[in-house]
Amino acid sequence: MKWAALALTGVVAAGCEPTVPVRGCAGCTYDFADTIPPDTSLVFHWPAARLPVRYYADSRAAMPALVATGIATWNAQFLYGEFRAVQVADSTAADVIVQWEAAPPPDVPPDTSTVDACAGSTTNPSVVFRDSSARVLHVTLGVKAGAFTDAQVAGCLRRVAIHELGHSLGLLKHSLSRFDIMNAVPTVSFPSVTDRRTVELLYHTPPTVLPPP
Amino acid sequence: MLARYWRLAGITGGLVCAAGDLPAQLLVRAALGARYTSTLVHDSIVTPFDVRPALAPALAVTAATPVGERWTAQATLDFSSSTLERHDVGGGTTGLGRVSTLAFTVGLRRPLAAGFAASLGVGGVKYFPANATGIFRQGSGAIAGLGAITVEYAPAAGARYGLGVQARYDAHRFITPALQSEGFDSPRLVHRVSLAVRAGWGGGAAR
């Protein structure tokens, strides 16, 4: 059996431990925690026991598609099952409700411009779940006043929907980089590596705010 | 994906049933057991954690033919399926979905003393995740080279049906395109150990 022992030794020797990726570098992530001066840090993310997070989308116009894109985009950022969201048809069974702020805009194909033609808002999980008995987060999307084309509005809504869903995941702060989807005025179409590293870090950081069980 | 499992089970079953009329020089063995797989990914985000499959049922079908006085050439198809799990340093475990592996090896087998036999094989292994998510979100990568060693024991009492037990060790290197995108610079050596009971049909099944 000398041949077998030699072969086994060769196989074992061939296996070098891969290097774990560097994640703690400066600028690789941005701040995700809310703060209350002087020293309270509010970290929120959905715990494993609450997954999948259930999103309900206003059924009018492009909202279901916008939310589906947002969910798929954020689901794809995680390597190790830290977060998973699904879309539900019943708003009473939802953890997050996404609605139009006013009348929905026409559902047209988006253009490729980065015009700031729309707006969004998300109720702050660190406030909702810490200071009230609410069990649901609310996200609203709307159109800004101005001379924008329907295609510009559609393109903007696609970016802002992903951005607002990012807030509902627990990314409570804005990135200072215009290359990140979590910049205050998102101009990119997808989360950047920095967005991904940040949300990854968030979901491995012990939360200080939890949703109701 | 489930349909794929059933298809594979059907093919396996067909092979075993067809073995009833095997030529004298062809032997077919089927082995069913359990497999432990070592860590596929070790990572650290705030705290370290490992990703590895749970203990899995394993099914192997081997076709063999003698090539000399004491040697047998054989080809083995090996399938196992279980849940991929993330094990956090604090003891928490998170399921990451089902993953299956299919390995094919060719090799040589030689009987040893007192009912024991040993075989050595080389081939490849492919991962089949149930969902294209997480570490498999960009696919499972190419077929990985695999080396396997099996030790068998067949008591004389079970010779008629080729009954026996076997322990198989194999090793391969694991990485996926998503892990490479994440910054992993090289594959990780993965060890697998399975214990199984087997039955054989055809010439020399008892040995």
Side-chain angles (χ1 to χ4, degrees):
Chain A
M1 292 300 284
K2 193 188 290 180
W3 48 273
L6 282 173
L8 179 61
T9 306
V11 168
V12 172
C16 304
E17 286 293 301
T19 306
V20 171
V22 176
R23 292 194 174 87
C25 51
C28 288
T29 59
Y30 48 82
D31 192 13
F32 52 72
D34 221 349
T35 52
I36 300 175
D39 57 3
T40 303
S41 179
L42 301 175
V43 177
F44 167 79
H45 64 73
W46 296 95
R50 288 294 307 274
L51 302 182
V53 179
R54 299 159 298 176
Y55 284 78
Y56 170 80
D58 191 327
S59 60
R60 294 174 295 165
M63 188 64 88
L66 291 170
V67 172
T69 301
I71 287 173
T73 300
W74 285 112
N75 278 347
Q77 304 307 308
F78 294 89
L79 269 185
Y80 303 116
E82 299 94 332
F83 173 83
R84 193 165 66 86
V86 294
Q87 201 162 340
V88 294
D90 179 4
S91 63
T92 63
D95 301 304
V96 183
I97 293 175
V98 191
Q99 293 174 297
W100 294 110
E101 185 181 36
D107 184 5
V108 300
D111 73 359
T112 55
S113 71
T114 57
V115 177
D116 184 22
C118 66
S121 67
T122 302
T123 51
N124 188 333
S126 73
V127 174
V128 170
F129 294 143
R130 182 170 176 267
D131 300 332
S132 77
S133 59
R135 303 179 62 86
V136 178
L137 298 181
H138 288 273
V139 176
T140 55
L141 300 176
V143 182
K144 281 186 174 176
F148 304 114
T149 67
D150 290 340
Q152 287 172 334
V153 169
C156 178
L157 285 168
R158 192 184 173 287
R159 296 187 298 274
V160 170
I162 297 172
H163 174 102
E164 294 304 328
L165 262 57
H167 284 314
S168 72
L169 261 69
L171 294 170
L172 305 181
K173 293 285 193 67
H174 285 145
S175 163
L176 298 177
S177 169
R178 65 186 177 87
F179 299 111
D180 297 336
I181 197 80
M182 293 311 292
N183 183 261
V185 182
T187 54
V188 294
S189 300
F190 290 100
S192 64
V193 172
T194 308
D195 287 310
R196 184 159 61 81
R197 293 259 195 252
T198 303
V199 79
E200 203 171 47
L201 179 63
L202 165 62
Y203 271 76
H204 285 266
T205 301
T208 60
V209 178
L210 289 169
Chain B
M1 180 55 74
L2 200 61
R4 197 181 295 173
Y5 298 153
W6 283 113
R7 204 175 307 139
L8 184 73
I11 292 169
T12 306
L15 272 174
V16 170
C17 294
D21 299 321
L22 288 174
Q25 294 299 301
L26 184 63
L27 159 70
V28 170
R29 288 190 210 97
L32 184 63
R35 164 167 290 136
Y36 166 81
T37 303
S38 70
T39 297
L40 301 184
V41 185
H42 173 75
D43 202 347
S44 182
I45 308 173
V46 182
T47 55
F49 57 88
D50 291 332
V51 175
R52 63 174 177 268
L55 200 65
L59 174 67
V61 176
T62 299
T65 189
V67 291
E69 182 90 358
R70 295 178 60 81
W71 293 92
T72 304
Q74 59 183 30
T76 300
L77 199 59
D78 179 296
F79 175 80
S80 59
S81 180
S82 68
T83 305
L84 192 64
E85 294 177 336
R86 188 185 85 219
H87 296 269
D88 295 312
V89 73
T93 300
T94 305
L96 305 179
R98 180 158 288 274
V99 66
S100 304
T101 60
L102 188 62
F104 178 75
T105 54
V106 292
L108 290 170
R109 176 177 180 271
R110 179 188 166 119
L112 304 172
F116 283 89
S119 61
L120 181 67
V122 293
V125 61
K126 176 77 176 168
Y127 281 76
F128 296 95
N131 301 301
T133 57
I135 63 173
F136 295 111
R137 70 184 175 212
Q138 294 168 31
S140 60
I143 294 171
L146 174 137
I149 294 175
T150 305
V151 176
E152 303 166 33
Y153 172 68
R160 183 175 175 190
Y161 301 105
L163 296 178
V165 292
Q166 66 179 46
R168 169 177 157 137
Y169 164 82
D170 64 44
H172 64 278
R173 305 184 80 187
F174 178 83
I175 196 162
T176 66
L179 290 169
Q180 288 176 306
S181 298
E182 186 74 4
F184 285 90
D185 61 353
S186 61
R188 182 183 184 86
L189 184 65
V190 175
H191 310 273
R192 306 193 306 171
V193 177
S194 63
L195 294 173
V197 293
R198 68 152 170 90
W201 296 264
R207 285 181 289 135

